PDB file of all heavy atoms in Angstrom:
ATOM      1  N   THR A   1     -25.547 -17.752  17.154  1.00 95.00           N
ATOM      2  CA  THR A   1     -26.167 -16.987  18.248  1.00 95.00           C
ATOM      3  C   THR A   1     -26.359 -17.769  19.535  1.00 95.00           C
ATOM      4  O   THR A   1     -26.647 -17.162  20.572  1.00 95.00           O
ATOM      5  CB  THR A   1     -27.550 -16.464  17.815  1.00 95.00           C
ATOM      6  OG1 THR A   1     -28.393 -17.584  17.469  1.00 95.00           O
ATOM      7  CG2 THR A   1     -27.434 -15.529  16.618  1.00 95.00           C
ATOM      8  N   ASP A   2     -26.209 -19.086  19.519  1.00 96.00           N
ATOM      9  CA  ASP A   2     -26.675 -19.891  20.645  1.00 96.00           C
ATOM     10  C   ASP A   2     -25.584 -20.525  21.495  1.00 96.00           C
ATOM     11  O   ASP A   2     -25.861 -21.410  22.311  1.00 96.00           O
ATOM     12  CB  ASP A   2     -27.618 -20.998  20.135  1.00 96.00           C
ATOM     13  CG  ASP A   2     -28.944 -20.426  19.643  1.00 96.00           C
ATOM     14  OD1 ASP A   2     -29.200 -19.248  19.929  1.00 96.00           O
ATOM     15  OD2 ASP A   2     -29.709 -21.151  18.990  1.00 96.00           O
ATOM     16  N   ALA A   3     -24.337 -20.099  21.331  1.00 98.00           N
ATOM     17  CA  ALA A   3     -23.269 -20.646  22.173  1.00 98.00           C
ATOM     18  C   ALA A   3     -23.498 -20.280  23.634  1.00 98.00           C
ATOM     19  O   ALA A   3     -24.065 -19.226  23.959  1.00 98.00           O
ATOM     20  CB  ALA A   3     -21.917 -20.121  21.711  1.00 98.00           C
ATOM     21  N   THR A   4     -23.032 -21.131  24.520  1.00 98.00           N
ATOM     22  CA  THR A   4     -23.123 -20.838  25.953  1.00 98.00           C
ATOM     23  C   THR A   4     -22.352 -19.571  26.296  1.00 98.00           C
ATOM     24  O   THR A   4     -22.824 -18.710  27.031  1.00 98.00           O
ATOM     25  CB  THR A   4     -22.587 -22.024  26.772  1.00 98.00           C
ATOM     26  OG1 THR A   4     -23.343 -23.205  26.434  1.00 98.00           O
ATOM     27  CG2 THR A   4     -22.672 -21.772  28.270  1.00 98.00           C
ATOM     28  N   PHE A   5     -21.134 -19.454  25.749  1.00 98.00           N
ATOM     29  CA  PHE A   5     -20.293 -18.283  25.987  1.00 98.00           C
ATOM     30  C   PHE A   5     -19.885 -17.696  24.650  1.00 98.00           C
ATOM     31  O   PHE A   5     -19.349 -18.397  23.787  1.00 98.00           O
ATOM     32  CB  PHE A   5     -19.056 -18.678  26.788  1.00 98.00           C
ATOM     33  CG  PHE A   5     -18.065 -17.561  26.991  1.00 98.00           C
ATOM     34  CD1 PHE A   5     -18.421 -16.396  27.647  1.00 98.00           C
ATOM     35  CD2 PHE A   5     -16.760 -17.676  26.520  1.00 98.00           C
ATOM     36  CE1 PHE A   5     -17.505 -15.361  27.835  1.00 98.00           C
ATOM     37  CE2 PHE A   5     -15.826 -16.652  26.704  1.00 98.00           C
ATOM     38  CZ  PHE A   5     -16.213 -15.493  27.369  1.00 98.00           C
ATOM     39  N   ILE A   6     -20.157 -16.406  24.449  1.00 98.00           N
ATOM     40  CA  ILE A   6     -19.794 -15.704  23.217  1.00 98.00           C
ATOM     41  C   ILE A   6     -18.859 -14.559  23.589  1.00 98.00           C
ATOM     42  O   ILE A   6     -19.214 -13.692  24.383  1.00 98.00           O
ATOM     43  CB  ILE A   6     -21.044 -15.159  22.502  1.00 98.00           C
ATOM     44  CG1 ILE A   6     -21.992 -16.306  22.133  1.00 98.00           C
ATOM     45  CG2 ILE A   6     -20.643 -14.360  21.260  1.00 98.00           C
ATOM     46  CD1 ILE A   6     -23.339 -15.845  21.604  1.00 98.00           C
ATOM     47  N   SER A   7     -17.662 -14.584  23.013  1.00 98.00           N
ATOM     48  CA  SER A   7     -16.700 -13.521  23.292  1.00 98.00           C
ATOM     49  C   SER A   7     -16.320 -12.853  21.977  1.00 98.00           C
ATOM     50  O   SER A   7     -15.599 -13.411  21.162  1.00 98.00           O
ATOM     51  CB  SER A   7     -15.452 -14.091  23.972  1.00 98.00           C
ATOM     52  OG  SER A   7     -14.519 -13.075  24.221  1.00 98.00           O
ATOM     53  N   GLU A   8     -16.819 -11.635  21.789  1.00 98.00           N
ATOM     54  CA  GLU A   8     -16.550 -10.884  20.563  1.00 98.00           C
ATOM     55  C   GLU A   8     -15.473  -9.835  20.748  1.00 98.00           C
ATOM     56  O   GLU A   8     -14.940  -9.308  19.770  1.00 98.00           O
ATOM     57  CB  GLU A   8     -17.831 -10.191  20.093  1.00 98.00           C
ATOM     58  CG  GLU A   8     -18.965 -11.137  19.756  1.00 98.00           C
ATOM     59  CD  GLU A   8     -20.237 -10.396  19.382  1.00 98.00           C
ATOM     60  OE1 GLU A   8     -20.344  -9.190  19.697  1.00 98.00           O
ATOM     61  OE2 GLU A   8     -21.130 -11.032  18.765  1.00 98.00           O
ATOM     62  N   ALA A   9     -15.158  -9.499  21.978  1.00 98.00           N
ATOM     63  CA  ALA A   9     -14.262  -8.373  22.266  1.00 98.00           C
ATOM     64  C   ALA A   9     -12.798  -8.783  22.193  1.00 98.00           C
ATOM     65  O   ALA A   9     -12.430  -9.917  22.519  1.00 98.00           O
ATOM     66  CB  ALA A   9     -14.565  -7.816  23.649  1.00 98.00           C
ATOM     67  N   ASP A  10     -11.955  -7.842  21.784  1.00 98.00           N
ATOM     68  CA  ASP A  10     -10.508  -8.039  21.885  1.00 98.00           C
ATOM     69  C   ASP A  10     -10.115  -7.963  23.355  1.00 98.00           C
ATOM     70  O   ASP A  10     -10.843  -7.426  24.198  1.00 98.00           O
ATOM     71  CB  ASP A  10      -9.774  -6.945  21.109  1.00 98.00           C
ATOM     72  CG  ASP A  10     -10.067  -6.972  19.615  1.00 98.00           C
ATOM     73  OD1 ASP A  10     -10.630  -7.967  19.129  1.00 98.00           O
ATOM     74  OD2 ASP A  10      -9.731  -5.968  18.932  1.00 98.00           O
ATOM     75  N   TYR A  11      -8.938  -8.482  23.654  1.00 97.00           N
ATOM     76  CA  TYR A  11      -8.394  -8.431  25.014  1.00 97.00           C
ATOM     77  C   TYR A  11      -9.391  -8.989  26.039  1.00 97.00           C
ATOM     78  O   TYR A  11      -9.797  -8.307  26.988  1.00 97.00           O
ATOM     79  CB  TYR A  11      -7.994  -7.002  25.388  1.00 97.00           C
ATOM     80  CG  TYR A  11      -6.902  -6.434  24.526  1.00 97.00           C
ATOM     81  CD1 TYR A  11      -7.201  -5.512  23.526  1.00 97.00           C
ATOM     82  CD2 TYR A  11      -5.576  -6.820  24.693  1.00 97.00           C
ATOM     83  CE1 TYR A  11      -6.200  -4.993  22.711  1.00 97.00           C
ATOM     84  CE2 TYR A  11      -4.569  -6.309  23.882  1.00 97.00           C
ATOM     85  CZ  TYR A  11      -4.887  -5.397  22.899  1.00 97.00           C
ATOM     86  OH  TYR A  11      -3.897  -4.889  22.091  1.00 97.00           O
ATOM     87  N   THR A  12      -9.774 -10.236  25.814  1.00 98.00           N
ATOM     88  CA  THR A  12     -10.581 -10.961  26.795  1.00 98.00           C
ATOM     89  C   THR A  12      -9.673 -11.964  27.492  1.00 98.00           C
ATOM     90  O   THR A  12      -8.870 -12.635  26.851  1.00 98.00           O
ATOM     91  CB  THR A  12     -11.747 -11.696  26.119  1.00 98.00           C
ATOM     92  OG1 THR A  12     -12.641 -10.728  25.561  1.00 98.00           O
ATOM     93  CG2 THR A  12     -12.506 -12.564  27.105  1.00 98.00           C
ATOM     94  N   LEU A  13      -9.802 -12.072  28.803  1.00 98.00           N
ATOM     95  CA  LEU A  13      -9.004 -12.986  29.602  1.00 98.00           C
ATOM     96  C   LEU A  13      -9.950 -13.776  30.498  1.00 98.00           C
ATOM     97  O   LEU A  13     -10.794 -13.191  31.191  1.00 98.00           O
ATOM     98  CB  LEU A  13      -7.995 -12.199  30.437  1.00 98.00           C
ATOM     99  CG  LEU A  13      -7.147 -12.944  31.471  1.00 98.00           C
ATOM    100  CD1 LEU A  13      -6.324 -14.045  30.811  1.00 98.00           C
ATOM    101  CD2 LEU A  13      -6.240 -11.955  32.194  1.00 98.00           C
ATOM    102  N   VAL A  14      -9.838 -15.105  30.468  1.00 98.00           N
ATOM    103  CA  VAL A  14     -10.721 -15.955  31.268  1.00 98.00           C
ATOM    104  C   VAL A  14      -9.881 -16.997  31.998  1.00 98.00           C
ATOM    105  O   VAL A  14      -9.014 -17.638  31.398  1.00 98.00           O
ATOM    106  CB  VAL A  14     -11.786 -16.655  30.393  1.00 98.00           C
ATOM    107  CG1 VAL A  14     -12.784 -17.406  31.269  1.00 98.00           C
ATOM    108  CG2 VAL A  14     -12.520 -15.655  29.506  1.00 98.00           C
ATOM    109  N   LYS A  15     -10.149 -17.161  33.284  1.00 98.00           N
ATOM    110  CA  LYS A  15      -9.415 -18.139  34.083  1.00 98.00           C
ATOM    111  C   LYS A  15     -10.386 -18.944  34.961  1.00 98.00           C
ATOM    112  O   LYS A  15     -11.305 -18.394  35.562  1.00 98.00           O
ATOM    113  CB  LYS A  15      -8.390 -17.444  34.981  1.00 98.00           C
ATOM    114  CG  LYS A  15      -7.585 -18.423  35.843  1.00 98.00           C
ATOM    115  CD  LYS A  15      -6.633 -17.715  36.798  1.00 98.00           C
ATOM    116  CE  LYS A  15      -5.894 -18.744  37.655  1.00 98.00           C
ATOM    117  NZ  LYS A  15      -5.012 -18.104  38.658  1.00 98.00           N
ATOM    118  N   SER A  16     -10.164 -20.252  34.997  1.00 98.00           N
ATOM    119  CA  SER A  16     -10.778 -21.143  35.990  1.00 98.00           C
ATOM    120  C   SER A  16     -12.306 -21.190  35.912  1.00 98.00           C
ATOM    121  O   SER A  16     -12.998 -21.152  36.929  1.00 98.00           O
ATOM    122  CB  SER A  16     -10.333 -20.730  37.403  1.00 98.00           C
ATOM    123  OG  SER A  16      -8.932 -20.790  37.510  1.00 98.00           O
ATOM    124  N   ILE A  17     -12.829 -21.258  34.683  1.00 98.00           N
ATOM    125  CA  ILE A  17     -14.271 -21.403  34.452  1.00 98.00           C
ATOM    126  C   ILE A  17     -14.483 -22.491  33.406  1.00 98.00           C
ATOM    127  O   ILE A  17     -13.702 -22.613  32.470  1.00 98.00           O
ATOM    128  CB  ILE A  17     -14.896 -20.090  33.938  1.00 98.00           C
ATOM    129  CG1 ILE A  17     -14.631 -18.935  34.908  1.00 98.00           C
ATOM    130  CG2 ILE A  17     -16.398 -20.246  33.711  1.00 98.00           C
ATOM    131  CD1 ILE A  17     -15.079 -17.580  34.376  1.00 98.00           C
ATOM    132  N   THR A  18     -15.553 -23.281  33.563  1.00 98.00           N
ATOM    133  CA  THR A  18     -15.921 -24.261  32.549  1.00 98.00           C
ATOM    134  C   THR A  18     -17.221 -23.836  31.888  1.00 98.00           C
ATOM    135  O   THR A  18     -18.182 -23.445  32.561  1.00 98.00           O
ATOM    136  CB  THR A  18     -16.079 -25.657  33.169  1.00 98.00           C
ATOM    137  OG1 THR A  18     -14.787 -26.155  33.522  1.00 98.00           O
ATOM    138  CG2 THR A  18     -16.711 -26.640  32.188  1.00 98.00           C
ATOM    139  N   PHE A  19     -17.237 -23.909  30.555  1.00 98.00           N
ATOM    140  CA  PHE A  19     -18.415 -23.571  29.761  1.00 98.00           C
ATOM    141  C   PHE A  19     -18.961 -24.865  29.143  1.00 98.00           C
ATOM    142  O   PHE A  19     -18.220 -25.614  28.497  1.00 98.00           O
ATOM    143  CB  PHE A  19     -18.049 -22.576  28.663  1.00 98.00           C
ATOM    144  CG  PHE A  19     -17.458 -21.296  29.196  1.00 98.00           C
ATOM    145  CD1 PHE A  19     -16.081 -21.096  29.189  1.00 98.00           C
ATOM    146  CD2 PHE A  19     -18.265 -20.306  29.727  1.00 98.00           C
ATOM    147  CE1 PHE A  19     -15.518 -19.937  29.687  1.00 98.00           C
ATOM    148  CE2 PHE A  19     -17.712 -19.139  30.232  1.00 98.00           C
ATOM    149  CZ  PHE A  19     -16.342 -18.953  30.219  1.00 98.00           C
ATOM    150  N   ILE A  20     -20.248 -25.103  29.350  1.00 98.00           N
ATOM    151  CA  ILE A  20     -20.860 -26.361  28.928  1.00 98.00           C
ATOM    152  C   ILE A  20     -22.043 -26.084  28.022  1.00 98.00           C
ATOM    153  O   ILE A  20     -22.887 -25.240  28.336  1.00 98.00           O
ATOM    154  CB  ILE A  20     -21.360 -27.162  30.157  1.00 98.00           C
ATOM    155  CG1 ILE A  20     -20.206 -27.420  31.146  1.00 98.00           C
ATOM    156  CG2 ILE A  20     -22.006 -28.480  29.736  1.00 98.00           C
ATOM    157  CD1 ILE A  20     -20.664 -27.909  32.511  1.00 98.00           C
ATOM    158  N   ASN A  21     -22.112 -26.802  26.889  1.00 97.00           N
ATOM    159  CA  ASN A  21     -23.362 -26.856  26.143  1.00 97.00           C
ATOM    160  C   ASN A  21     -23.954 -28.235  26.398  1.00 97.00           C
ATOM    161  O   ASN A  21     -23.402 -29.254  25.970  1.00 97.00           O
ATOM    162  CB  ASN A  21     -23.173 -26.616  24.646  1.00 97.00           C
ATOM    163  CG  ASN A  21     -24.515 -26.395  23.961  1.00 97.00           C
ATOM    164  OD1 ASN A  21     -25.451 -27.168  24.130  1.00 97.00           O
ATOM    165  ND2 ASN A  21     -24.623 -25.321  23.190  1.00 97.00           N
ATOM    166  N   SER A  22     -25.059 -28.258  27.096  1.00 96.00           N
ATOM    167  CA  SER A  22     -25.620 -29.521  27.596  1.00 96.00           C
ATOM    168  C   SER A  22     -26.581 -30.183  26.618  1.00 96.00           C
ATOM    169  O   SER A  22     -27.107 -31.261  26.916  1.00 96.00           O
ATOM    170  CB  SER A  22     -26.352 -29.262  28.920  1.00 96.00           C
ATOM    171  OG  SER A  22     -27.417 -28.339  28.735  1.00 96.00           O
ATOM    172  N   TYR A  23     -26.803 -29.577  25.446  1.00 94.00           N
ATOM    173  CA  TYR A  23     -27.859 -30.083  24.574  1.00 94.00           C
ATOM    174  C   TYR A  23     -27.660 -31.552  24.186  1.00 94.00           C
ATOM    175  O   TYR A  23     -28.606 -32.340  24.208  1.00 94.00           O
ATOM    176  CB  TYR A  23     -27.982 -29.239  23.311  1.00 94.00           C
ATOM    177  CG  TYR A  23     -29.057 -29.776  22.383  1.00 94.00           C
ATOM    178  CD1 TYR A  23     -30.393 -29.592  22.696  1.00 94.00           C
ATOM    179  CD2 TYR A  23     -28.731 -30.502  21.239  1.00 94.00           C
ATOM    180  CE1 TYR A  23     -31.391 -30.110  21.888  1.00 94.00           C
ATOM    181  CE2 TYR A  23     -29.724 -31.016  20.423  1.00 94.00           C
ATOM    182  CZ  TYR A  23     -31.049 -30.821  20.750  1.00 94.00           C
ATOM    183  OH  TYR A  23     -32.034 -31.349  19.951  1.00 94.00           O
ATOM    184  N   ASN A  24     -26.439 -31.921  23.821  1.00 91.00           N
ATOM    185  CA  ASN A  24     -26.181 -33.294  23.363  1.00 91.00           C
ATOM    186  C   ASN A  24     -25.703 -34.223  24.473  1.00 91.00           C
ATOM    187  O   ASN A  24     -25.223 -35.325  24.193  1.00 91.00           O
ATOM    188  CB  ASN A  24     -25.107 -33.277  22.265  1.00 91.00           C
ATOM    189  CG  ASN A  24     -25.586 -32.599  20.999  1.00 91.00           C
ATOM    190  OD1 ASN A  24     -26.663 -32.878  20.501  1.00 91.00           O
ATOM    191  ND2 ASN A  24     -24.783 -31.695  20.474  1.00 91.00           N
ATOM    192  N   ILE A  25     -25.778 -33.805  25.712  1.00 89.00           N
ATOM    193  CA  ILE A  25     -25.240 -34.605  26.818  1.00 89.00           C
ATOM    194  C   ILE A  25     -26.387 -35.195  27.620  1.00 89.00           C
ATOM    195  O   ILE A  25     -27.187 -34.459  28.194  1.00 89.00           O
ATOM    196  CB  ILE A  25     -24.346 -33.740  27.720  1.00 89.00           C
ATOM    197  CG1 ILE A  25     -23.194 -33.157  26.887  1.00 89.00           C
ATOM    198  CG2 ILE A  25     -23.808 -34.536  28.881  1.00 89.00           C
ATOM    199  CD1 ILE A  25     -22.342 -32.157  27.622  1.00 89.00           C
ATOM    200  N   PRO A  26     -26.530 -36.553  27.686  1.00 80.00           N
ATOM    201  CA  PRO A  26     -25.686 -37.523  26.983  1.00 80.00           C
ATOM    202  C   PRO A  26     -25.975 -37.500  25.477  1.00 80.00           C
ATOM    203  O   PRO A  26     -27.049 -37.037  25.076  1.00 80.00           O
ATOM    204  CB  PRO A  26     -26.102 -38.857  27.610  1.00 80.00           C
ATOM    205  CG  PRO A  26     -27.516 -38.640  28.042  1.00 80.00           C
ATOM    206  CD  PRO A  26     -27.585 -37.206  28.488  1.00 80.00           C
ATOM    207  N   PRO A  27     -25.028 -38.009  24.643  1.00 66.00           N
ATOM    208  CA  PRO A  27     -25.230 -37.966  23.197  1.00 66.00           C
ATOM    209  C   PRO A  27     -26.524 -38.634  22.774  1.00 66.00           C
ATOM    210  O   PRO A  27     -26.869 -39.709  23.264  1.00 66.00           O
ATOM    211  CB  PRO A  27     -24.010 -38.726  22.649  1.00 66.00           C
ATOM    212  CG  PRO A  27     -22.985 -38.601  23.721  1.00 66.00           C
ATOM    213  CD  PRO A  27     -23.740 -38.611  25.015  1.00 66.00           C
ATOM    214  N   LYS A  28     -27.258 -37.963  21.895  1.00 65.00           N
ATOM    215  CA  LYS A  28     -28.500 -38.520  21.365  1.00 65.00           C
ATOM    216  C   LYS A  28     -28.147 -39.269  20.078  1.00 65.00           C
ATOM    217  O   LYS A  28     -27.820 -38.657  19.065  1.00 65.00           O
ATOM    218  CB  LYS A  28     -29.497 -37.395  21.091  1.00 65.00           C
ATOM    219  CG  LYS A  28     -29.819 -36.555  22.327  1.00 65.00           C
ATOM    220  CD  LYS A  28     -30.625 -35.322  21.950  1.00 65.00           C
ATOM    221  CE  LYS A  28     -31.014 -34.501  23.150  1.00 65.00           C
ATOM    222  NZ  LYS A  28     -29.868 -33.915  23.863  1.00 65.00           N
ATOM    223  N   VAL A  29     -28.173 -40.591  20.128  1.00 58.00           N
ATOM    224  CA  VAL A  29     -27.752 -41.402  18.996  1.00 58.00           C
ATOM    225  C   VAL A  29     -28.555 -41.022  17.752  1.00 58.00           C
ATOM    226  O   VAL A  29     -29.780 -40.929  17.780  1.00 58.00           O
ATOM    227  CB  VAL A  29     -27.923 -42.900  19.310  1.00 58.00           C
ATOM    228  CG1 VAL A  29     -27.548 -43.753  18.093  1.00 58.00           C
ATOM    229  CG2 VAL A  29     -27.058 -43.288  20.509  1.00 58.00           C
ATOM    230  N   ASN A  30     -27.841 -40.749  16.660  1.00 59.00           N
ATOM    231  CA  ASN A  30     -28.400 -40.361  15.359  1.00 59.00           C
ATOM    232  C   ASN A  30     -29.103 -38.996  15.389  1.00 59.00           C
ATOM    233  O   ASN A  30     -29.764 -38.621  14.434  1.00 59.00           O
ATOM    234  CB  ASN A  30     -29.395 -41.416  14.839  1.00 59.00           C
ATOM    235  CG  ASN A  30     -28.729 -42.750  14.599  1.00 59.00           C
ATOM    236  OD1 ASN A  30     -27.581 -42.805  14.172  1.00 59.00           O
ATOM    237  ND2 ASN A  30     -29.446 -43.831  14.889  1.00 59.00           N
ATOM    238  N   ALA A  31     -28.946 -38.254  16.491  1.00 79.00           N
ATOM    239  CA  ALA A  31     -29.609 -36.949  16.553  1.00 79.00           C
ATOM    240  C   ALA A  31     -28.698 -35.886  17.156  1.00 79.00           C
ATOM    241  O   ALA A  31     -29.179 -34.866  17.617  1.00 79.00           O
ATOM    242  CB  ALA A  31     -30.898 -37.064  17.354  1.00 79.00           C
ATOM    243  N   VAL A  32     -27.388 -36.121  17.143  1.00 86.00           N
ATOM    244  CA  VAL A  32     -26.466 -35.124  17.673  1.00 86.00           C
ATOM    245  C   VAL A  32     -26.487 -33.902  16.765  1.00 86.00           C
ATOM    246  O   VAL A  32     -26.438 -34.014  15.545  1.00 86.00           O
ATOM    247  CB  VAL A  32     -25.036 -35.710  17.764  1.00 86.00           C
ATOM    248  CG1 VAL A  32     -24.030 -34.616  18.089  1.00 86.00           C
ATOM    249  CG2 VAL A  32     -24.990 -36.783  18.840  1.00 86.00           C
ATOM    250  N   MET A  33     -26.580 -32.726  17.368  1.00 91.00           N
ATOM    251  CA  MET A  33     -26.628 -31.480  16.605  1.00 91.00           C
ATOM    252  C   MET A  33     -25.473 -30.564  17.003  1.00 91.00           C
ATOM    253  O   MET A  33     -24.872 -30.735  18.051  1.00 91.00           O
ATOM    254  CB  MET A  33     -27.955 -30.754  16.863  1.00 91.00           C
ATOM    255  CG  MET A  33     -29.166 -31.460  16.296  1.00 91.00           C
ATOM    256  SD  MET A  33     -30.696 -30.531  16.630  1.00 91.00           S
ATOM    257  CE  MET A  33     -30.376 -29.027  15.682  1.00 91.00           C
ATOM    258  N   GLN A  34     -25.203 -29.584  16.143  1.00 95.00           N
ATOM    259  CA  GLN A  34     -24.221 -28.562  16.479  1.00 95.00           C
ATOM    260  C   GLN A  34     -24.703 -27.807  17.710  1.00 95.00           C
ATOM    261  O   GLN A  34     -25.815 -27.291  17.731  1.00 95.00           O
ATOM    262  CB  GLN A  34     -24.054 -27.593  15.306  1.00 95.00           C
ATOM    263  CG  GLN A  34     -23.470 -28.227  14.057  1.00 95.00           C
ATOM    264  CD  GLN A  34     -23.516 -27.272  12.884  1.00 95.00           C
ATOM    265  OE1 GLN A  34     -24.582 -26.821  12.482  1.00 95.00           O
ATOM    266  NE2 GLN A  34     -22.356 -26.950  12.327  1.00 95.00           N
ATOM    267  N   ALA A  35     -23.862 -27.775  18.738  1.00 96.00           N
ATOM    268  CA  ALA A  35     -24.243 -27.125  19.991  1.00 96.00           C
ATOM    269  C   ALA A  35     -22.960 -26.592  20.625  1.00 96.00           C
ATOM    270  O   ALA A  35     -22.194 -27.342  21.227  1.00 96.00           O
ATOM    271  CB  ALA A  35     -24.955 -28.106  20.910  1.00 96.00           C
ATOM    272  N   VAL A  36     -22.738 -25.295  20.479  1.00 98.00           N
ATOM    273  CA  VAL A  36     -21.450 -24.667  20.789  1.00 98.00           C
ATOM    274  C   VAL A  36     -21.374 -24.270  22.267  1.00 98.00           C
ATOM    275  O   VAL A  36     -22.292 -23.625  22.796  1.00 98.00           O
ATOM    276  CB  VAL A  36     -21.224 -23.433  19.890  1.00 98.00           C
ATOM    277  CG1 VAL A  36     -19.890 -22.777  20.186  1.00 98.00           C
ATOM    278  CG2 VAL A  36     -21.316 -23.827  18.412  1.00 98.00           C
ATOM    279  N   ALA A  37     -20.281 -24.636  22.914  1.00 98.00           N
ATOM    280  CA  ALA A  37     -20.060 -24.218  24.302  1.00 98.00           C
ATOM    281  C   ALA A  37     -19.412 -22.837  24.364  1.00 98.00           C
ATOM    282  O   ALA A  37     -19.713 -22.055  25.267  1.00 98.00           O
ATOM    283  CB  ALA A  37     -19.195 -25.238  25.033  1.00 98.00           C
ATOM    284  N   ALA A  38     -18.512 -22.543  23.433  1.00 98.00           N
ATOM    285  CA  ALA A  38     -17.854 -21.227  23.430  1.00 98.00           C
ATOM    286  C   ALA A  38     -17.569 -20.809  21.993  1.00 98.00           C
ATOM    287  O   ALA A  38     -17.115 -21.611  21.179  1.00 98.00           O
ATOM    288  CB  ALA A  38     -16.568 -21.254  24.239  1.00 98.00           C
ATOM    289  N   MET A  39     -17.808 -19.539  21.729  1.00 98.00           N
ATOM    290  CA  MET A  39     -17.582 -18.938  20.408  1.00 98.00           C
ATOM    291  C   MET A  39     -16.676 -17.729  20.608  1.00 98.00           C
ATOM    292  O   MET A  39     -17.065 -16.739  21.215  1.00 98.00           O
ATOM    293  CB  MET A  39     -18.927 -18.516  19.803  1.00 98.00           C
ATOM    294  CG  MET A  39     -18.849 -17.748  18.512  1.00 98.00           C
ATOM    295  SD  MET A  39     -20.535 -17.264  17.994  1.00 98.00           S
ATOM    296  CE  MET A  39     -20.149 -16.161  16.641  1.00 98.00           C
ATOM    297  N   ILE A  40     -15.436 -17.828  20.122  1.00 98.00           N
ATOM    298  CA  ILE A  40     -14.413 -16.816  20.392  1.00 98.00           C
ATOM    299  C   ILE A  40     -14.030 -16.125  19.086  1.00 98.00           C
ATOM    300  O   ILE A  40     -13.412 -16.732  18.216  1.00 98.00           O
ATOM    301  CB  ILE A  40     -13.152 -17.450  21.023  1.00 98.00           C
ATOM    302  CG1 ILE A  40     -13.521 -18.459  22.114  1.00 98.00           C
ATOM    303  CG2 ILE A  40     -12.213 -16.365  21.532  1.00 98.00           C
ATOM    304  CD1 ILE A  40     -14.304 -17.891  23.265  1.00 98.00           C
TER     305      ILE A  40
END
């Protein structure tokens, strides 16, 4: 449920955009977690 960008629909077209999940940036040593930028 927590991705930055979630695309569930058929026929999706995306151009010239960046999707960022900032949770682990910069990486947290020994505490990196699953953090999705895009879910297609």
